[in-house]
Amino acid sequence: MRARFVVPLMGLIAGVILAGCGGGGSSSTIALSKSDFVAQGNAICAKGDKETEAAAKKVFSQPPSKATVEKFVTDTVVPNIQGQIDAIGALSPPAGDEDQVQAIVDAAQSALDKAKADPSLLTEQGSGSDPFAEADKLADDYGLDACGSNSA
């Protein structure tokens, strides 16, 4: 979630939705291979990005007010990112990668919790604090390119 609003909207969408992704926990019994896990995780993030972009096109037909942007972040972006975190957290991580994947999920959830408490973290350019920086790096390092900062 690198983007801040005041920058073009698509920068916000790409940065916000793609960086909010991570990987983690397990609700299934069979561990995925790393390539399958990464493919499924990237698909989750790419789908979330497309959904947010489609919603943004409907909401932002002209330059939006700060209130409109904050409402969009609160009502659309944050729930979308939460869904991505939850979906990736439900994947069964590869054997031996459980801690690494859980770190991605935990970092993404922590960042999202900060954004929920203060949506301006995602809407103000140059605030100096990117809540998703750690999650982005961890996701990128693991290969979740559609979820990390390399996706924009």
Side-chain angles (χ1 to χ4, degrees):
M1 277 211 192
R2 304 166 313 283
R4 309 276 179 234
F5 202 78
V6 181
V7 255
L9 177 63
M10 294 322 285
L12 170 75
I13 301 310
V16 168
I17 198 66
L18 297 176
C21 243
S26 172
S27 64
S28 61
T29 57
I30 299 173
L32 297 170
S33 69
K34 183 169 181 177
S35 62
D36 286 342
F37 183 90
V38 168
Q40 289 181 31
N42 280 327
I44 289 166
C45 292
K47 180 179 181 233
D49 179 44
K50 287 179 183 175
E51 290 170 356
T52 300
E53 285 183 30
K57 287 178 183 178
K58 290 178 183 176
V59 173
F60 301 112
S61 59
Q62 57 186 343
S65 67
K66 182 176 179 179
T68 299
V69 172
E70 287 184 2
K71 181 171 176 31
F72 182 75
V73 167
T74 301
D75 295 351
T76 303
V77 174
V78 167
N80 188 304
I81 293 170
Q82 186 65 66
Q84 291 178 53
I85 293 169
D86 293 346
I88 291 175
L91 296 176
S92 183
D97 288 359
E98 297 89 353
D99 291 342
Q100 188 177 6
V101 168
Q102 191 60 50
I104 297 167
V105 170
D106 291 346
Q109 188 63 59
S110 176
L112 186 61
D113 291 344
K114 289 176 187 173
K116 286 177 184 177
D118 183 5
S120 71
L121 291 173
L122 304 179
T123 63
E124 294 179 7
Q125 183 176 9
S127 69
S129 178
D130 177 359
F132 283 91
E134 180 184 0
D136 280 352
K137 181 172 180 354
L138 293 171
D140 284 340
D141 289 349
Y142 194 75
L144 293 168
D145 297 337
C147 304
S149 60
N150 287 335
S151 59

